[in-house]
């Protein structure tokens, strides 16, 4: 039986929740967006996104003006609730799912028979089953799928998100989706809902399988980037060019080594592998080591800069890029920013930071002496040492001739043309 949804509620209006809410609203559903942050709610009410995402503002304006999306701070009744709140790690690398628990606590009073609850946040294995326990305690009058499989009052499904910021609207439609139901009826209901706009392949499975499959995607990326990063330190020690080595190795039809860099950033890849390791430390030495290799890399880059800086009395060092990946304004968990902060703290010279996607230096740089935000041309002209930390498209115009008398540390291979012939 296909379920019909008239009103849905999205809890957490961030990078995942807001575009998802806008997408459902654009398909004619009445969408209630809920966020604990007043300013996020105010921006949504004004028809604006509170972060940069191409084309999202256009969709937002249309759906808010049409009255299909409205934002509130306290949940109201709806037919389906999608939870897309943050799930960070604590300093000791353990998962912090308190926002998911708060979101569940906030929707419990307004749940009614027949409602569907979907967890979209990236979560440790077992979170969906624990969500059922929490809802059962809060609403003993309603049955959950593990009390009454295929016949419960509330349907509960884990549905992970894998969008790429910067391409969110396209990926929401095109990406494949997994529906991990606590029972089959829950998975089917979530699939029916997403069919409103999603066009990618759809798979139904159990909740823990869906939970682990999401974590595994990011652990896979982390382990493979760690291999590339380890290779970069091997090549550096041997005086070889890692980009050329990788380019040659990748000629093998079954080898595909990823690109090394100054570390691994963003709020997914450096975080999610710990959720697996926390649950099964004995079984996951590779996942843990990959995390350590990638976490060590910003420090290794800073050490390399310090080593070459010692050749100068008072060097001017250009740092190109601060964001966690190219062509975005996102600084979360950015290894480039870590390198910059590390160098600023050591006060080894004048730092000229170039980051075309921010208007001001972030904390840890703004409050340091002799650190300036400047243009690519100015930094390239004045620097003794140029450190390339992010492969922004805008850096590709860098005049290689102007760098010929400078020391260049290119952590992302921006300037490298692999030497595949002799
Ligand atoms: N951003 C991505 O590219 C991406 C991709 C895949 C998965 N994820 C996962 O999706 C989840 C959400 O990530 P995000 O990037 O959208 O986070 P975000 O920080 O951009 O947004 C989360 C929002 O939830 C709000 N919030 C927190 N607690 C709340 C509560 N109890 N009730 C209502 N609102 C609450 C916050 O104020 C914030 O606006 C995380 O688990 C993340 O790992 C993110």
């Amino acid at each position: 039986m296909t379920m019909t949804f008239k009103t849905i509620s999205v809890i957490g209006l961030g990078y995942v929740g807001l575009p998802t809410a806008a997408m459902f609203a654009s398909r004619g559903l009445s969408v209630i967006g809920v966020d604990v942050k007043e300013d996020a709610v105010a921006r949504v009410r004004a028809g604006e996104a509170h972060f940069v995402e191409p084309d999202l503002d256009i969709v937002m304006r249309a759906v808010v003006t049409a009255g299909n999306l409205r934002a509130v701070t306290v949940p109201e009744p709806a037919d389906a609730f999608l939870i897309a709140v943050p799930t960070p790690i604590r300093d000791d690398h353990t998962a912090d799912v308190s926002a998911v628990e708060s979101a569940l606590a906030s929707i419990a009073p307004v749940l009614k028979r027949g409602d569907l609850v979907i967890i979209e946040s990236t979560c440790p294995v077992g979170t969906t089953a624990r969500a059922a326990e929490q809802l059962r305690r809060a609403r003993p009058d309603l049955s959950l799928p593990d009390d009454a499989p295929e016949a419960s009052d509330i349907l509960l499904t884990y549905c992970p998100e894998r969008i790429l910021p910067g391409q969110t609207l396209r990926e929401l439609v095109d990406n494949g989706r997994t529906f991990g139901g606590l029972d089959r009826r829950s998975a089917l209901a979530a699939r029916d809902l997403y069919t409103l706009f999603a066009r990618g392949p759809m798979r139904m499975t159990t909740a823990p399988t869906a939970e682990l499959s999401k974590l595994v995607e990011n652990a896979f990326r982390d382990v493979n980037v760690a291999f590339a990063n380890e290779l970069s330190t091997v090549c550096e020690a041997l005086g070889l060019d890692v980009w050329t080595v990788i380019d040659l190795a990748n000629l093998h039809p079954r080898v595909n080594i990823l690109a090394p860099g100054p570390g691994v950033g963003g709020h997914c890849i450096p975080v999610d592998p710990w959720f697996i390791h926390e649950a099964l430390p004995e079984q996951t030495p590779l996942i843990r080591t990959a995390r350590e290799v990638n976490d060590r890399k910003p420090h290794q880059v800073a050490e390399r800069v310090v080593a070459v800086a010692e050749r100068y009395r008072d060097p001017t060092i250009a740092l190109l890029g601060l964001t966690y990946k190219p062509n975005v304004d996102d600084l979360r968990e950015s290894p480039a920013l870590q390198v910059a902060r590390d160098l600023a703290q050591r006060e080894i010279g004048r730092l000229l930071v170039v980051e075309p996607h921010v208007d001001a230096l972030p904390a840890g740089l703004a409050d340091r002496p002799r650190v300036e935000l400047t243009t690519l041309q100015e930094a390239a002209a004045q620097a003794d040492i140029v450190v390339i930390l992010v492969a922004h498209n805008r850096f590709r115009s860098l005049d290689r001739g102007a760098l010929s008398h400078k020391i260049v540390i290119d952590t992302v291979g921006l300037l490298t043309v692999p030497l595949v012939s002799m």
Side-chain angles (χ1 to χ4, degrees):
M1 188 191 73
T2 304
M3 288 199 52
T4 47
F5 302 93
K6 288 201 176 69
T7 303
I8 67 157
S9 181
V10 178
I11 318 293
L13 298 175
Y15 286 87
V16 168
L18 188 57
T20 305
M23 203 57 115
F24 278 115
S26 74
R27 296 300 191 269
L29 284 190
S30 170
V31 181
I32 306 167
V34 183
D35 204 292
V36 287
K37 274 196 223 137
E38 299 270 358
D39 55 333
V41 167
R43 294 285 295 274
V44 175
R45 284 180 178 158
E48 296 166 5
H50 53 99
F51 50 87
V52 178
E53 180 61 46
D55 300 332
L56 181 57
D57 268 337
I58 301 169
V59 184
M60 293 272 302
R61 247 191 316 278
V63 294
V64 171
T65 308
N68 286 356
L69 173 62
R70 58 194 185 84
V72 295
T73 51
V74 178
E76 296 175 10
D79 304 322
F81 295 84
L82 278 67
I83 297 177
V85 296
T87 46
I89 44 169
R90 303 186 189 90
D91 288 345
D92 63 357
H93 300 142
T94 56
D96 177 359
V97 291
S98 56
V100 174
E101 290 163 0
S102 305
L104 289 164
S106 72
I107 64 168
V110 295
L111 284 178
K112 61 182 185 317
R113 196 159 180 264
D115 283 355
L116 167 66
V117 177
I118 296 179
I119 300 177
E120 291 229 359
S121 300
T122 304
C123 290
V125 175
T127 301
T128 313
R130 284 189 286 277
E133 280 167 33
Q134 186 184 337
L135 291 177
R136 192 168 20 249
R137 278 196 306 276
R139 291 293 304 270
D141 55 317
L142 295 171
S143 63
L144 281 130
D146 44 1
D147 308 316
E150 312 304 327
S152 57
D153 293 329
I154 301 296
L155 302 163
L156 184 51
T157 305
Y158 181 70
C159 180
E161 186 50 71
R162 43 168 83 107
I163 45 138
L164 180 69
Q167 317 244 359
T168 297
L169 293 186
R170 187 182 58 73
E171 292 214 349
L172 274 176
V173 174
D174 292 344
N175 285 354
R177 280 189 181 272
T178 307
F179 303 100
L182 273 195
D183 62 359
R184 188 175 154 75
R185 195 165 146 257
S186 298
L188 274 169
R191 192 190 64 176
D192 285 352
L193 179 59
Y194 274 95
T195 306
L196 281 176
F197 68 74
R199 294 283 167 264
M202 300 198 180
R203 301 271 190 279
M204 292 194 297
T205 183
T206 64
T209 306
E211 288 162 343
L212 184 61
S213 71
K214 167 65 196 176
L215 301 179
V216 161
E217 290 167 15
N218 286 337
F220 173 87
R221 302 274 303 158
D222 201 43
V223 167
N224 282 277
V225 174
F227 180 73
N229 279 339
E230 186 162 290
L231 214 51
S232 73
T233 58
V234 169
C235 288
E236 194 190 315
L238 294 173
L240 299 176
D241 177 54
V242 66
W243 306 97
T244 305
V245 170
I246 290 176
D247 193 64
L248 293 172
N250 281 350
L251 286 176
H252 186 296
R254 285 165 295 282
V255 171
N256 183 16
I257 303 172
L258 301 184
V264 169
H267 61 298
C268 289
I269 298 181
V271 172
D272 303 349
W274 289 116
F275 291 4
I276 309 177
H277 182 71
E278 181 189 357
L280 295 157
E282 293 296 318
Q283 289 85 347
T284 51
L286 179 63
I287 288 174
R288 185 189 174 98
T289 304
R291 275 287 66 246
E292 288 167 351
V293 166
N294 288 332
D295 275 353
R296 215 166 23 238
K297 195 71 198 298
H299 179 69
Q300 289 168 332
V301 173
E303 287 291 323
R304 198 169 151 207
V305 178
V306 170
V308 297
E310 279 167 4
R311 298 183 210 166
Y312 297 83
R313 201 171 50 80
D314 182 26
T316 297
I317 304 167
L319 300 178
L320 307 191
L322 289 181
T323 58
Y324 87 82
K325 65 176 184 175
N327 312 319
V328 297
D329 63 350
D330 198 337
L331 298 173
R332 289 181 291 178
E333 313 283 332
S334 168
L337 181 56
Q338 268 186 59
V339 174
R341 282 180 173 146
D342 188 342
L343 294 172
Q345 201 172 16
R346 297 180 198 225
E347 297 183 16
I348 52 169
R350 185 171 162 233
L351 294 188
L352 300 179
V353 178
V354 184
E355 180 40 83
H357 301 88
V358 304
D359 299 328
L361 285 174
L365 295 179
D367 41 4
R368 287 277 162 193
R370 307 185 73 210
V371 183
E372 297 158 47
L373 186 65
T374 183
T375 62
L376 181 62
Q377 288 68 25
E378 216 172 306
Q382 293 184 25
D384 303 303
I385 302 165
V386 176
V387 188
I388 307 175
L389 294 169
V390 185
H392 286 317
N393 285 343
R394 294 196 208 174
F395 294 163
R396 294 191 190 275
S397 63
L398 202 57
D399 175 6
R400 283 152 214 244
L403 301 178
S404 54
H405 301 298
K406 302 173 190 290
I407 295 181
V408 178
I409 298 176
D410 182 2
T411 68
V412 289
L414 185 87
L415 302 178
T416 311
V417 180
L419 294 172
V420 290
S421 59
M422 302 193 86

